[in-house]
Amino acid sequence: REIRAEVGERADGAGELVVRELDLASLRSVRAFCHRVLQEESRLDVLINNAGIFQCPYMKTEDGFEMQFGVNHLGHFLLTNLLLGLLKNSAPSRIVVVSSKLYKYGEINFEDLNSEISYNKSFCYSRSKLANILFARELARRLEGTGVTVNSLHPGIVRTNLGRHVNIPLLAKPLFNLVSWAFFKTPLEGAQTSIYLASSPDVEGVSGKYFGDCKEEELLPKAMDDLVARKLWDISEVMVGLLK
């Protein structure tokens, strides 16, 4: 209602807002969502993969994946792959993948992708965000020449409830609130790079890059490792059931 009131329902239908249920912790939900989109929509110009869960206690998705890797990487991986045909048919179109600067502290450990052996909530978040960048990089390679571009970004530290699983001592909360108001971005500010990559003519045809504050940024070598990116892709395909 708030969005409709703010944007206004335009008479030509260009301002129509529809809401669809999607739970990235459930591959069944992802498939149902994509099935409905493909039935109802004739084109798809932009897909922004923005959902995420941050430093939660150890838990699993409906399909048995570690929650952060399952939601942040695998859910988006399946979602994007199921919608790729429509994106290609709608070209020029764009895919935007929201990652995080914290990717720097992650490693892709193929021996324990699902954290069955050990679980560190900070490391697992960073790993899922590194996976986002490697996924965007490999997808961009696969989509060369199709008119579909893929870029990843970090939004900065944004004042949302993403950090709801982080325990801040009661006495430190006033200080934390003060710091967050002073230094964290508002949701509107945090969305700017996503909006830029989704809509700006400046990045038309640009693909496989990583952005922050609406500017291209350098990545660490581990986020540009094409062999790891391809192996992660292949394993992800099996994990989400795209390949047996």
Side-chain angles (χ1 to χ4, degrees):
R1 279 202 305 270
E2 284 175 9
I3 294 171
R4 284 191 174 120
E6 188 178 321
V7 177
E9 293 285 12
R10 285 165 50 179
D12 60 3
E16 188 188 4
L17 169 73
V18 294
V19 180
R20 297 286 177 261
E21 183 181 334
L22 169 62
D23 179 1
L24 288 162
S26 162
L27 298 182
R28 184 172 46 87
S29 173
V30 174
R31 286 195 168 87
F33 170 83
C34 291
H35 179 71
R36 186 166 181 185
V37 168
L38 295 174
Q39 277 191 319
E40 295 178 352
E41 304 299 335
S42 59
R43 58 181 299 113
L44 177 56
D45 300 288
V46 183
L47 172 64
I48 302 179
N49 289 333
N50 175 66
I53 188 165
F54 177 73
Q55 295 192 9
C56 57
Y58 185 74
M59 52 178 122
K60 290 185 173 180
T61 68
E62 180 179 286
D63 305 279
F65 304 128
E66 184 275 311
M67 187 63 75
Q68 295 187 87
F69 190 74
V71 169
N72 300 358
H73 170 60
L74 292 172
H76 287 116
F77 179 87
L78 179 61
L79 174 79
T80 306
N81 272 284
L82 293 178
L83 296 176
L84 264 187
L86 187 55
L87 283 155
K88 287 177 183 175
N89 291 339
S90 308
S93 53
R94 304 182 184 190
I95 300 168
V96 179
V97 179
V98 180
S99 181
S100 164
K101 264 189 178 171
L102 294 175
Y103 86 85
K104 295 175 181 180
Y105 305 104
E107 300 291 341
I108 304 297
N109 176 8
F110 288 111
E111 304 306 311
D112 192 25
L113 267 186
N114 208 33
S115 304
E116 303 282 358
I117 299 167
S118 67
Y119 179 70
N120 176 298
K121 62 184 182 180
S122 301
F123 169 79
C124 285
Y125 178 76
S126 294
R127 175 161 63 193
S128 74
K129 294 288 107 180
L130 175 58
N132 288 157
I133 295 170
L134 291 167
F135 163 60
R137 186 174 177 86
E138 174 64 10
L139 182 57
R141 186 187 71 80
R142 289 167 180 254
L143 289 173
E144 281 176 14
T146 64
V148 185
T149 60
V150 193
N151 292 290
S152 57
L153 69 109
H154 75 87
I157 306 174
V158 188
R159 280 199 304 275
T160 68
N161 69 344
L162 182 69
R164 61 192 175 277
H165 294 292
V166 178
N167 289 318
I168 297 161
L170 200 59
L171 291 173
K173 274 196 173 163
L175 179 62
F176 175 80
N177 291 338
L178 189 66
V179 168
S180 72
W181 277 107
F183 297 108
F184 292 9
K185 292 181 177 181
T186 64
L188 182 61
E189 291 166 342
Q192 290 309 304
T193 307
S194 295
I195 295 168
Y196 173 75
L197 289 175
S199 61
S200 175
D202 295 351
V203 287
E204 193 173 329
V206 174
S207 194
K209 305 298 183 184
Y210 172 74
F211 288 78
D213 292 324
C214 300
K215 292 187 287 288
E216 188 182 334
E217 294 193 357
E218 290 293 313
L219 284 164
L220 293 180
K222 65 181 172 185
M224 298 188 292
D225 190 324
D226 291 334
L227 286 176
V228 172
R230 285 176 204 185
K231 185 174 180 180
L232 178 64
W233 182 286
D234 291 344
I235 290 172
S236 299
E237 277 189 319
V238 174
M239 291 177 86
V240 302
L242 286 171
L243 278 182
K244 292 289 181 271

